[in-house]
Amino acid sequence: MDSHDEIEIADRISRRRVLGTVLAALAFLGVQIVARPVFRSDGYGASGWRAYAWPFNASLLLLLLLPIGGYVWGRRVRALVNDEVSRNNSRVATAAAFWLAMFMALVVYVLPPSVGLTAREAAYLVVTPTSGFALLAFAWLESRALRDG
Amino acid sequence: MGDQLENQLREERARRQLTQAQLAELVGVSRKTINTVENGIFVPSTILALRLAKALGTTVESLFRLR
C-alpha cells in the first residue's frame, strides 16, 4: 500500500469514526434518557450482571477517546487516524468533560438529603452526561477538522 | 501573550499546485492535519511546522508568523 492510499484510507476511517462516535453516544444517552435504568429496581440498580451493564458500556465508550485500537489497519494508517490533530481533539474534549463532571458532582452534592441518592446513582448522574458530552465534543471537533475547505 | 498565528500554508501549497492530500503525503501526515493548519483551527507543533516547511521547500518563518 503506498502512502497516498494510506492517507485516503485514514481519511475514510476518520470520517467513519465521527459517525460511529456520534451514533454510539446518542444510543448510550438515548437509552439512559428513555429508560433511566439506574433508577429502576429491575434495571442497573438491581443486583447481578445488570448492575454492571452501564459501567461496562460507559467504559467502552470512553475508550473511543483514547488513541488505541484499529490494529488491523496497520501502524502507518493508525498513526494517521490518531494524528496530532485527533490527539489534541481528544484532549480538548476530555478537558471540557472534566469541567462538566465537576459541575455535575457539585450539583449532586447540593441536592437535598431527601432526594436520597445512593452512591451508585450519584456516580451514574456524574458519569452518564459527562461521557456522552465528551464523545459528542470529540466527534464535533473531528468533524470540523475533516470538513473540506 | 494573546498572539495569533497566521499561516501562508494554503498559498504556498497552491503555488506548488499541490492538493491537501498530496501535501499530506509529502509531509507524512493526514489530510485532516493539513486542513486544520490551513484554516487556523490547529496550531502545529514545532516538528510539524518544520516538516511542512521542508516539504514546501521554504522556511518556517515564511509559512507562519504572529499577528
Side-chain angles (χ1 to χ4, degrees):
Chain A
M1 194 186 330
D2 66 22
S3 56
H4 177 74
D5 291 339
E6 287 170 341
I7 285 167
E8 288 297 317
I9 290 168
D11 213 47
R12 275 204 303 274
I13 291 171
S14 296
R15 286 176 198 280
R16 266 190 250 144
R17 179 169 66 176
V18 169
L19 184 63
T21 303
V22 169
L23 291 177
L26 291 181
F28 177 68
L29 291 174
V31 167
Q32 312 311 318
I33 290 165
V34 172
R36 284 183 292 171
V38 80
F39 297 113
R40 286 169 40 183
S41 57
D42 61 339
Y44 299 158
S47 57
W49 69 270
R50 288 185 71 108
Y52 298 100
W54 169 78
F56 179 74
N57 287 338
S59 304
L60 280 185
L61 288 179
L62 288 172
L63 287 178
L64 290 172
L65 289 171
L66 298 176
I68 57 172
Y71 296 101
V72 291
W73 306 327
R75 191 181 58 82
R76 180 87 187 107
V77 172
R78 208 167 63 239
L80 288 170
V81 172
N82 298 313
D83 60 357
E84 254 185 56
V85 175
S86 287
R87 292 198 304 275
N88 186 62
N89 287 343
S90 170
R91 277 194 295 270
V92 170
T94 306
F98 166 81
W99 289 109
L100 180 63
M102 292 301 104
F103 173 76
M104 290 305 297
L106 291 171
V107 167
V108 167
Y109 183 85
V110 299
L111 284 176
S114 59
V115 175
L117 287 177
T118 64
R120 187 175 279 177
E121 288 165 347
Y124 174 89
L125 286 174
V126 173
V127 174
T128 300
T130 304
S131 46
F133 174 78
L135 288 170
L136 291 175
F138 175 67
W140 179 74
L141 291 166
E142 282 286 281
S143 136
R144 188 178 64 159
L146 286 161
R147 208 169 294 151
D148 292 325
Chain B
M1 297 304 280
D3 292 324
Q4 282 193 317
L5 192 67
E6 265 184 355
N7 75 75
Q8 299 293 312
L9 190 58
R10 191 189 305 274
E11 291 75 7
E12 288 291 335
R13 175 174 64 77
R15 195 169 301 142
R16 284 160 182 77
Q17 297 183 326
L18 292 169
T19 63
Q20 286 186 339
Q22 285 167 334
L23 179 58
E25 197 178 334
L26 283 174
V27 180
V29 297
S30 67
R31 193 195 61 81
K32 177 175 58 181
T33 298
I34 304 296
N35 191 39
T36 49
V37 174
E38 278 188 1
N39 289 311
I41 293 170
F42 179 66
V43 176
S45 66
T46 310
I47 293 172
L48 178 55
L50 286 164
R51 282 163 67 184
L52 285 166
K54 187 179 175 190
L56 290 168
T58 184
T59 60
V60 172
E61 292 85 348
S62 65
L63 273 185
F64 300 96
R65 66 162 177 262
L66 291 174
R67 184 166 55 196

